[in-house]
Amino acid sequence: MLSENIFLKILSKEIPANVIYEDDLCLAFHDISPMAPVHVLLIPRKEIRTHDLIGEEDVTLLGHMHIVAARIAARLGITEGYRLVVNCRERAGQTVPHLHMHLLGGRDFGWPPG
Ligand code: AMP
């Protein structure tokens, strides 16, 4: 069972986060438990619980989030390479029930992923 949606509380400023970017559509903040020298989470303001619930109405939002992720990567100096990860549901490791992109960089990454 996924835990409560703590990211909604970050969006509403109910709990603090190390926010590095925000606009009308999305918010980005440093992951509290980083898996790489750079580990940023990018989340939509819209409440979407997981990736397989996105629809055609989210095309602009998701395209925008990809552009924002690339800009944040440039700003944080991980232009040699970065990884974007979206975990969908428990079996993929999703723990927070709010769609989020992990932006990871600052080290080498293996393939296949674990
Ligand atoms: P996932 O396992 O894909 O659902 O990713 C959830 C991520 O949220 C994990 O990497 C956690 O470390 C991160 N996380 C959980 N709570 C917080 C928080 N309060 N502030 C920042 N990151 C968090």
Side-chain angles (χ1 to χ4, degrees):
M1 190 68 179
L2 293 175
S3 60
E4 66 167 332
N5 188 348
I6 198 163
F7 293 168
L8 281 182
K9 292 184 175 170
I10 289 175
L11 281 166
S12 67
K13 313 284 186 202
E14 207 177 314
I15 65 165
N18 190 350
V19 174
I20 57 164
Y21 176 86
E22 61 182 313
D23 63 26
D24 291 349
L25 294 177
C26 62
L27 182 82
F29 50 94
H30 289 287
D31 196 292
I32 204 167
S33 180
M35 296 294 153
V38 172
H39 188 171
V40 168
L41 297 173
L42 182 56
I43 66 173
R45 291 194 186 278
K46 179 179 175 184
E47 192 172 355
I48 304 172
R49 287 178 66 81
T50 196
H51 188 264
D52 61 18
L53 298 176
I54 58 176
E56 289 296 329
E57 67 279 13
D58 301 313
V59 165
T60 300
L61 168 64
L62 293 166
H64 176 72
M65 286 176 63
H66 276 274
I67 291 166
V68 168
R71 286 185 182 149
I72 291 172
R75 176 144 63 93
L76 297 182
I78 51 171
T79 46
E80 285 189 347
Y82 58 82
R83 184 167 287 180
L84 285 177
V85 174
V86 177
N87 294 322
C88 180
R89 300 191 183 273
E90 288 96 326
R91 199 154 182 214
Q94 184 181 3
T95 58
V96 179
H98 188 100
L99 179 67
H100 49 282
M101 273 181 193
H102 297 258
L103 170 62
L104 299 143
R107 67 168 170 85
D108 295 332
F109 295 96
W111 195 263

